[in-house]
Amino acid sequence: AAGVIQSPRHLIKEKRETATLKCYPIPRHDTVYWYQQGPGQDPQFLISFYEKMQSDKGSIPDRFSAQQFSDYHSELNMSSLELGDSALYFCASSLRAIAYEQYFGPGTRLTVT
Amino acid sequence: GQQVMQIPQYQHVQEGEDFTTYCNSSTTLSNIQWYKQRPGGHPVFLIQLVKSGEVKKQKRLTFQFGEAKKNSSLHITATQTTDVGTYFCAGPGAGGTSYGKLTFGQGTILTVHP
């Protein structure tokens, strides 16, 4: 079965640079979520989209922005990167009309040096 | 804000022993989900509980949702080395829609010694 695809899998950036993370949800899933997971921590919700509209917002810094496109893929844009942004970034998708469960992608490991 | 507390933080067991992790919320939850994350992997959905007092089983795993819908537990019978990983409970985030953000517990890291 198709899973959530994230790219790139690994990304190394320097402070103050920008990064773009991409997420391709499971086909026919209408909701996309972004989470940030620091080392040894639980995933922290950043933002979600339902049918290309922002549906919920969490602890996402103003330096970050995200959107969902007409083909349902989503991008997380991160600017003015800081050392503390180094983390695993997960995208998850779900089908709102069916169930609550979220299917996570493999994640993008961002390292800011 | 809403918090989901999970204990214990770590659990080391010998293969064949049982394992239980507990989750408590400060508020009533409409539902609770459980996820497993293997080392270096991503969270994988295990189950969702919705009804008060609900009990669900998946082979050696038993999930319970408290009567007040504020606590939940995951019990694994006769652990195997394949059970190694971090187990997270997650509830709907405060202020979010029912289909929105998840608030995760801190997770319980399970190690199984063969």
Side-chain angles (χ1 to χ4, degrees):
Chain A
V4 176
I5 297 172
Q6 289 188 248
S7 67
R9 294 293 307 277
H10 303 272
L11 192 57
I12 300 175
K13 291 286 186 178
E14 295 187 354
K15 284 193 305 183
R16 293 180 288 278
E17 285 192 321
T18 61
T20 298
L21 279 55
K22 297 185 178 182
C23 169
Y24 297 84
I26 292 172
R28 293 184 296 281
H29 277 195
D30 52 22
T31 307
V32 166
Y33 312 82
W34 286 96
Y35 292 87
Q36 177 191 60
Q37 186 176 34
Q41 298 185 354
D42 56 281
Q44 295 292 313
F45 172 78
L46 294 177
I47 196 167
S48 64
F49 293 87
Y50 169 65
E51 286 291 345
K52 292 155 280 185
M53 298 290 290
Q54 181 182 306
S55 57
D56 270 310
K57 199 170 183 181
S59 51
I60 183 170
D62 292 339
R63 300 177 289 107
F64 294 6
S65 65
Q67 58 181 325
Q68 187 178 28
F69 295 86
S70 57
D71 63 352
Y72 290 91
H73 94 272
S74 179
E75 294 184 3
L76 177 66
N77 298 292
M78 311 160 72
S79 63
S80 303
L81 288 169
E82 302 173 356
L83 296 178
D85 296 328
S86 296
L88 260 174
Y89 290 84
F90 289 108
C91 171
S93 73
S94 68
L95 183 57
R96 175 181 281 211
I98 299 299
Y100 295 96
E101 65 254 34
Q102 297 180 17
Y103 294 85
F104 283 73
T108 294
R109 182 172 295 281
L110 173 66
T111 303
V112 182
T113 61
Chain B
Q2 176 176 300
Q3 287 189 329
V4 180
M5 307 300 292
Q6 191 173 353
I7 58 169
Q9 187 176 1
Y10 302 94
Q11 188 74 59
H12 310 277
V13 300
Q14 289 292 132
E15 190 171 20
E17 292 183 336
D18 293 355
F19 158 77
T20 304
T21 174
Y22 301 90
C23 199
N24 290 287
S25 170
S26 55
T27 60
T28 301
L29 301 170
S30 59
N31 70 88
I32 194 160
Q33 301 177 34
W34 285 91
Y35 290 81
K36 176 184 179 182
Q37 186 174 20
R38 294 182 185 273
H42 58 277
V44 174
F45 173 81
L46 294 177
I47 208 158
Q48 176 189 262
L49 304 171
V50 178
K51 299 176 183 177
S52 168
E54 189 170 16
V55 178
K56 286 189 176 180
K57 293 189 176 184
Q58 289 180 350
K59 297 183 180 178
R60 296 178 293 105
L61 278 62
T62 301
F63 304 84
Q64 293 188 328
F65 202 10
E67 293 290 340
K69 301 182 74 173
K70 286 187 174 183
N71 58 77
S72 182
S73 66
L74 159 59
H75 179 81
I76 302 178
T77 304
T79 55
Q80 300 175 358
T81 55
T82 53
D83 295 325
V84 165
T86 302
Y87 292 85
F88 291 102
C89 61
T97 64
S98 293
Y99 296 91
K101 57 185 175 183
L102 289 175
T103 296
F104 282 81
Q106 296 88 340
T108 296
I109 300 172
L110 172 65
T111 55
V112 179
H113 301 284

